[in-house]
């Protein structure tokens, strides 16, 4: 939730989640948000959504930046009785520089104005948002007190986020810390948004840049205990090995030493449109990156001052303190005094060197910005997942010979005779399919597997179907998965009755066997065995697939041994063909069993009906 002070962000959060995110005494007294507020909004089997309520007051912009880092969707709250205000515009600049691309506009406090005025506010907002990420964002009219529009905006948030690509949980874990506190009896707890990777309970981690080694004792997601936390989730992690006093917002919890700690960043910067002061060579700046806030200086190589500029400026930030970052990380630059947003951008190289002033340095930085051919290929394939050669040429701006030179077997995978992808993506999909099948087998141990079409449909939001088909077939070839008809399972999986119901199932089968050809309704056997109704469908299908029973119709079933014995007996007592009467006499069955039995023989292709007779096939 972003927007100007007193435009109703906290009230809207409370209306959506039933959580009041203003916890501090000063916040209650002053009726403004000072610290970040968090509240769980929605959770189902595929998505968890938390709301970050960021402070709107100018003095609390730094907390707002810390909250915005790592988000997937912004709800821009604009009060119907005031319209777009100065902090709304600054928030929009910050969101643009941080690369936020998805937004919803909530026009709040609609009960305070009439419909005609709302239309004027809409026009005003549309004019102000032209050229921003919110230019085409949907509008929702809400009032947090009367709850008008609350269900509508909640459903829109859920729908929008479900359509977004999931974050990649592979790779090294990184969580910029935005809150540090203690819980009685538990010790130090840090909270933040997991930028990338995943973390498990008990895992050894490091606090950077100081290098403290800690252990994740407990993890909470949405205020509930969890074994793991993944990229995109808000997580609270109880740490052992460190005191609260040794930690602060801005530090980063990581699982790997591969991340770079640095004081010199080569960057690409854009400035705000209404820059009202010159940005001078080596001027002090305040850098906001992740949740860190660090003083430094901006160093230009092609100018000595900056007033207005529409293009990216390649320059360097020299900081007073170390930060942990990597190529591609987004940041905000603010003037220390008067405090105001200057611009923002992204990290080209976290390991900047000292360079000479002049065009040669700019040329070198341009090359760094574009990346090496390998980096461009990797970036294009990570974004698109799979591309043919012609599209790779367009996206990387490399000529065909250079491109082919770098499309080596260890770096990319060529499949379907026309498309390229990355080994890491294949591994990621393979792991995803494996995890989904493992979960399915755990909950449905009697089913032979997942319907292939359903399995692929679940993954098609994130990956092209052709790539999914390739990975699945490749996994079958490598004997990671197996397929029977349209069903896919793990290679080592064997359908089985859950251990807790095995004895009852065996007893039931014995009774069906003992009753021979004159069985009762199959449902009676289930009830008698004490097998619950929710297991009945899966167990019936399992017993049929394993040929332990043969279903005559919806009501009756024979034990597999009894059915096969009856077939042999009928064969030996009849010639090449027989009539119903002869079959009844041979097996001693009444019509209610006889007709379904013979129809089952037809269905299995053992007999063929010709008028009143059956012919053995």
């Amino acid at each position: 939730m972003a927007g100007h002070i007193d435009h109703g962000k906290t009230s809207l959060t409370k209306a959506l989640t039933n959580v009041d995110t203003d916890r501090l005494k000063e916040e209650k007294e002053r009726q403004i948000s000072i610290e970040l507020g968090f509240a769980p909004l929605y959770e189902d089997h595929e998505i968890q959504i938390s709301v970050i309520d960021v402070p709107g007051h100018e003095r609390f912009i730094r907390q707002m930046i810390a909250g915005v880092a790592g988000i997937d969707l912004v709800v821009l709250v604009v009060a119907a009785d005031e319209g777009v205000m100065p902090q709304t515009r600054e928030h929009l600049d910050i969101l643009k520089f941080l690369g936020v691309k998805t937004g919803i506009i909530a026009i709040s406090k609609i009960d305070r104005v009439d419909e005609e005025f709302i239309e004027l506010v809409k026009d005003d907002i549309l004019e102000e948002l032209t050229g921003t990420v919110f230019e085409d964002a949907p509008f929702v009219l809400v009032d947090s007190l009367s709850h008008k529009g609350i269900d509508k905006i909640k459903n829109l948030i859920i729908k929008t986020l479900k359509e977004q690509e999931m974050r990649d949980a592979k790779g090294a874990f990184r969580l910029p810390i935005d809150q540090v506190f203690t819980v009685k009896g538990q010790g130090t707890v840090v909270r933040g948004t997991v930028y990338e990777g995943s973390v498990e309970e008990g895992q050894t981690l490091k606090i950077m840049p100081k290098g403290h080694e800690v252990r994740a004792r407990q993890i909470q997601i949405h205020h509930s205990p969890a074994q793991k936390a993944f990229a995109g989730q808000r997580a609270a992690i109880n740490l052992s090995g460190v005191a609260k006093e040794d930690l602060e917002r801005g530090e980063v919890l990581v699982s790997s030493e591969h991340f770079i700690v640095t004081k010199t960043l080569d960057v690409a910067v854009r400035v705000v449109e209404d820059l009202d002061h010159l940005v001078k060579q080596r001027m002090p700046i305040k850098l906001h990156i992740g949740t860190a806030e660090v003083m430094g200086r901006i160093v230009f190589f092609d100018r000595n001052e900056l007033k207005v500029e529409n293009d990216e400026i390649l320059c360097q930030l020299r900081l007073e303190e170390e930060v942990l970052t990597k190529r591609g990380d987004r940041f905000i630059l603010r003037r220390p005094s008067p405090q105001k947003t200057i611009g923002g951008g992204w990290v080209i190289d976290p390991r900047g060197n000292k360079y000479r002033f002049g065009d040669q340095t700019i040329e070198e930085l341009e090359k760094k910005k574009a990346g090496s051919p390998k980096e461009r290929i990797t970036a294009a394939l990570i974004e698109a997942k799979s591309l043919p050669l012609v599209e790779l040429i367009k996206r990387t701006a490399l000529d065909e010979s250079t491109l082919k030179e770098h499309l080596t077997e260890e770096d990319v995978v060529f499949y379907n005779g026309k498309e390229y992808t990355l080994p890491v993506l294949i591994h990621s999909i393979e792991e995803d399919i494996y995890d989904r099948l493992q979960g399915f087998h755990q909950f449905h141990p009697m089913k032979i597997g997942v319907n292939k079409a359903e399995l692929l449909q679940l993954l098609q939001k994130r990956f092209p179907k052709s790539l999914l088909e390739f990975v699945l077939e490749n996994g079958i070839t490598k004997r990671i998965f197996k397929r029977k008809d349209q069903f896919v399972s793990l290679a080592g999986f064997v359908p089985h009755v859950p251990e807790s119901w095995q004895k009852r199932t065996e007893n039931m089968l014995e009774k069906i066997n003992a009753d021979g050809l004159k069985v009762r309704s199959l449902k009676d056997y289930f009830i008698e065995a004490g097998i619950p109704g929710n297991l009945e469908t899966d167990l019936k299908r399992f017993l049929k697939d394993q040929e332990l029973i043969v279903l005559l119709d919806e009501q009756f079933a024979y034990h597999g041994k009894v059915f096969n014995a009856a077939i042999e007996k009928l064969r030996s007592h009849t010639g090449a063909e027989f009539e119903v009467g002869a079959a009844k006499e041979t097996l001693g069955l009444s019509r209610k069993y006889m007709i379904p039995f013979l129809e089952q023989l037809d269905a299995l292709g053992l007999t063929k009906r010709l008028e009143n007779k059956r012919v053995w096939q």
Side-chain angles (χ1 to χ4, degrees), residues 240-251:
S240 63
V242 68
K244 173 182 178 288
E245 293 71 32
D246 294 329
L247 298 178
E248 58 186 335
R249 171 159 52 195
E251 293 179 314

Side-chain angles (χ1 to χ4, degrees), residues 541-557:
R541 186 189 294 111
F542 169 78
L543 295 174
K544 175 181 173 291
D545 289 343
Q546 300 297 311
E547 299 180 356
L548 293 167
I549 63 170
V550 177
L551 299 173
L552 297 182
D553 54 23
E554 288 296 313
Q555 190 175 6
F556 297 111

Side-chain angles (χ1 to χ4, degrees), residues 5 35 43 111 116 135 170 221 238 302 312 339 348 370 391 398 413 421 455 458 469 471 473 480 496 548 595:
I5 181 174
E35 289 294 337
E43 183 174 349
D111 282 359
E116 192 177 330
E135 188 170 14
K170 304 295 181 289
I221 308 290
N238 177 207
D302 59 349
E312 279 188 328
Q339 290 197 21
I348 296 172
E391 195 59 34
L398 296 170
V413 174
T421 190
L455 177 65
L458 289 169
E469 292 268 11
V471 175
E473 291 304 319
I480 299 169
H496 59 278
L548 293 167
I595 299 304

Side-chain angles (χ1 to χ4, degrees), residues 545-598:
D545 289 343
Q546 300 297 311
E547 299 180 356
L548 293 167
I549 63 170
V550 177
L551 299 173
L552 297 182
D553 54 23
E554 288 296 313
Q555 190 175 6
F556 297 111
Y558 283 157
H559 193 285
K561 290 180 182 176
V562 171
F563 181 75
N564 290 331
I567 293 170
E568 291 308 310
K569 185 176 182 181
L570 190 59
R571 262 190 201 277
S572 61
H573 285 76
T574 58
E577 59 184 43
F578 60 91
E579 293 183 353
V580 175
K584 283 173 70 177
E585 193 176 322
T586 302
L587 298 177
L589 290 177
S590 65
R591 185 176 179 81
K592 81 171 180 179
Y593 295 116
M594 195 71 253
I595 299 304
F597 178 84
L598 293 175

Side-chain angles (χ1 to χ4, degrees), residues 271-411:
V271 293
V272 295
E273 287 181 15
D274 56 347
L275 195 63
D276 50 10
H277 289 83
L278 284 175
V279 179
K280 295 184 178 180
Q281 177 73 290
R282 298 182 182 272
M283 185 185 93
I285 49 89
K286 191 178 281 186
L287 169 73
H288 295 267
I289 188 162
T291 56
E293 180 185 350
V294 180
M295 291 297 296
R297 293 182 182 275
I298 188 165
V299 178
F300 299 117
F301 301 104
D302 59 349
R303 67 196 74 203
N304 284 310
E305 61 182 34
L306 172 67
K307 173 62 178 168
V308 179
E309 179 65 68
N310 293 323
D311 294 326
E312 279 188 328
I313 302 125
L314 303 182
C315 56
Q316 193 172 77
L317 303 178
R318 295 181 187 169
L319 308 176
E320 293 178 8
E321 301 170 51
E322 290 182 323
V323 294
L324 180 141
T325 187
K326 64 188 270 193
R327 178 182 167 90
D329 280 358
R330 299 267 180 172
F331 60 82
I332 301 295
L333 293 180
R334 302 196 83 222
R335 185 185 295 278
S337 180
Q339 290 197 21
K340 199 157 186 186
T341 301
I342 300 167
W346 61 281
V347 177
I348 296 172
D349 186 350
R351 292 161 293 202
N353 290 312
K354 288 198 173 181
Y355 312 120
R356 291 187 176 188
F357 189 92
D359 292 342
Q360 189 177 343
T361 294
I362 295 298
E363 283 172 21
E364 288 302 312
L365 290 176
E366 284 284 6
K367 286 178 188 173
K368 272 194 187 186
K369 179 186 165 188
S372 67
K374 186 177 175 181
E375 285 172 336
R376 292 196 219 178
I377 292 165
T378 301
L381 289 175
I382 281 176
E383 185 180 350
K385 311 303 186 234
S386 170
L387 289 169
L389 185 65
V390 174
E391 195 59 34
L392 258 177
I393 291 169
K394 287 181 191 172
R395 294 203 184 207
T396 59
L398 296 170
D399 61 77
E400 189 171 340
S401 60
T402 305
L403 194 59
K404 284 185 172 177
E405 187 184 320
H406 288 87
L407 292 174
T408 57
E409 280 186 20
E410 65 263 25
D411 292 330

